Amino acid sequence: MFKYSITQWISGNEDIEDSFKRIKKYNYDYIELAAEPYTTDVKRVKLLMNKYDIGCSSLCGIFTSDRDLTASNEISKQKGIQYIKDSVDLAVSVNAPYIIVVPSPVGRTEIPLGTYYEQLWDNAIVNIREAADYAKLKNISLCIEAINRYETFFVNTLTKAYKLVKEIDRPNVGIMADMFHMSLEENNNGAIFRMIADKLMHVHIADNTREAAGMGNTDFKEMFYVLNDIGYKGPLAMEFMPRLANPYASSNIETQAALMDHFAEQAITYMKTIEKSVLH
């Protein structure tokens, strides 16, 4: 049986206890918190985790332009590295084993003027290694996420993510596969899951429309077959959201509670039905 989570940053500006209530109501196992170490009320989050008996599967990194792990400028790169280190401390506080890392800022779709892709790649390796070494001391893993070409110029495919992870060469650095981004960038989901199997740590679930699973045309049966076959044991975290050009806008909009409830119920019902049909 797979374990299911919902990432919390997609829920807009609602009070975090409302997110916990939704997760409990629809029988999810975990919450995935935004990696916001500077604004998270850790004491309250821990109280809510205990109150609703909900664990934290992971932290979803929020990589804005001032958290750029491809940067070579000392001030800029240290901001990105320090952000991950501070997120590691947050992860320890809420007992989250994984932090999702996007190496380049989300929304930057062109290589910055005066830079070269190869140098940015080398910068990312060096900078993520430093963050990973700190994370390893705290028993936290970093999961590199490939996001589609319309949101970043850098790591778009899981093949690139795999290459980056292999070159970073740290035991606590793996891959986060996102089914929405895969629907845009991958030719064969089953084949790519098998290719990255030894580095796969985490999976995000959304349909090809970025809505809840079952509302588009993604083949989740194939996903379950392959994940089961490769022995994947990590979480399946729902990351559905309203149709927005800027995904990070989801964290600031007025919460559409009825829509979030509908998506949460739709996703867990659909996924558990498909899982049962495939694996039992």
Side-chain angles (χ1 to χ4, degrees), residues 113-165:
L113 292 175
T115 64
Y116 297 91
Y117 189 93
E118 293 76 13
Q119 183 59 56
L120 299 176
W121 184 271
D122 291 343
N123 292 344
I125 291 170
V126 171
N127 295 340
I128 294 171
R129 278 179 180 165
E130 181 177 336
D133 288 344
Y134 180 80
K136 188 173 186 297
L137 296 174
K138 305 296 182 77
N139 200 32
I140 302 295
S141 294
L142 307 182
C143 307
I144 304 299
E145 179 178 11
I147 64 175
N148 72 77
R149 73 193 77 177
Y150 307 109
E151 295 180 38
T152 185
F153 72 92
F154 194 59
V155 174
N156 307 118
T157 67
L158 289 171
T159 300
K160 286 184 179 178
Y162 188 77
K163 182 176 186 292
L164 183 65
V165 167

Side-chain angles (χ1 to χ4, degrees), residues 63-78:
F63 286 89
T64 49
S65 59
D66 60 341
R67 298 168 178 175
D68 183 3
L69 294 166
T70 68
S72 54
N73 175 275
E74 192 65 27
I75 294 175
S76 297
K77 78 174 188 178
Q78 284 303 325

Side-chain angles (χ1 to χ4, degrees), residues 27-88:
N27 297 311
Y28 284 83
D29 304 290
Y30 300 109
I31 189 170
E32 178 178 274
L33 296 169
E36 291 291 14
Y38 314 120
T39 58
T40 299
D41 184 343
V42 175
K43 182 177 180 180
R44 185 168 184 234
V45 166
K46 291 171 72 173
L47 287 171
L48 291 171
M49 289 171 64
N50 184 63
K51 178 179 178 178
Y52 291 98
D53 191 27
I54 296 292
C56 184
S57 64
S58 40
L59 300 184
C60 186
I62 308 297
F63 286 89
T64 49
S65 59
D66 60 341
R67 298 168 178 175
D68 183 3
L69 294 166
T70 68
S72 54
N73 175 275
E74 192 65 27
I75 294 175
S76 297
K77 78 174 188 178
Q78 284 303 325
K79 283 185 178 179
I81 294 168
Q82 191 60 50
Y83 165 67
I84 296 182
K85 290 180 178 180
D86 293 337
S87 295
V88 166

